[in-house]
């Protein structure tokens, strides 16, 4: 989730979630993304039941994980965005 948002908003990972609009979009995407694992009955059995699956794939828990990765990789930019910027500058 971090890389596509970084490419769209053309910023470093650490700059991504300081903007309200980006946070709102991330939460909408997380809400949608969390629904798929919650709908898989085989995952519920493997994970130890409904409560465990609902916790692990809740929007809040996924957000914590995403923000943790963004913080750890704060200085990173996505390679695609870098290539596009270089192409615009050099025309290559």
């Amino acid at each position: 989730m971090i890389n596509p948002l970084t490419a769209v908003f053309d910023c470093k990972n650490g700059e991504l979630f300081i903007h309200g609009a980006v946070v709102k979009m991330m939460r909408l995407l997380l809400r949608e993304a969390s629904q798929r694992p919650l709908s898989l009955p085989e995952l519920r059995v493997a994970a130890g039941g409904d409560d465990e699956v609902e916790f692990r794939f809740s929007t809040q828990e996924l957000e914590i994980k995403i923000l943790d990765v963004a913080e750890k990789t704060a200085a990173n930019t996505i390679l695609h965005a870098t290539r596009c910027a270089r192409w615009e500058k050099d025309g290559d």
Side-chain angles (χ1 to χ4, degrees):
M1 175 169 301
I2 293 172
N3 286 346
L5 290 174
T6 301
V8 168
F9 290 99
D10 189 28
C11 63
K12 294 182 179 185
N13 292 358
E15 299 168 350
L16 196 55
F17 300 115
I18 60 173
H19 304 288
V22 179
V23 173
K24 183 177 180 179
M25 181 179 290
M26 176 198 61
R27 287 182 177 148
L28 290 170
L29 291 168
L30 284 175
R31 188 176 311 134
E32 186 174 333
S34 72
Q35 295 305 307
R36 188 65 182 147
L38 294 175
S39 70
L40 300 171
E42 60 273 14
L43 186 59
R44 293 181 180 279
V45 171
D50 289 346
D51 291 341
E52 179 65 21
V53 171
E54 287 182 21
F55 171 75
R56 290 171 82 182
F57 294 100
S58 69
T59 303
Q60 296 83 6
E61 190 65 19
L62 292 174
E63 182 176 337
I64 289 168
K65 290 178 184 348
I66 295 287
L67 294 175
D68 183 52
V69 171
E71 184 180 316
K72 289 177 180 174
T73 61
N76 293 5
T77 56
I78 187 166
L79 184 58
H80 177 72
T82 304
R83 284 183 180 161
C84 288
R86 190 176 306 132
W87 179 79
E88 286 178 359
K89 180 181 167 203
D90 299 339
D92 291 333

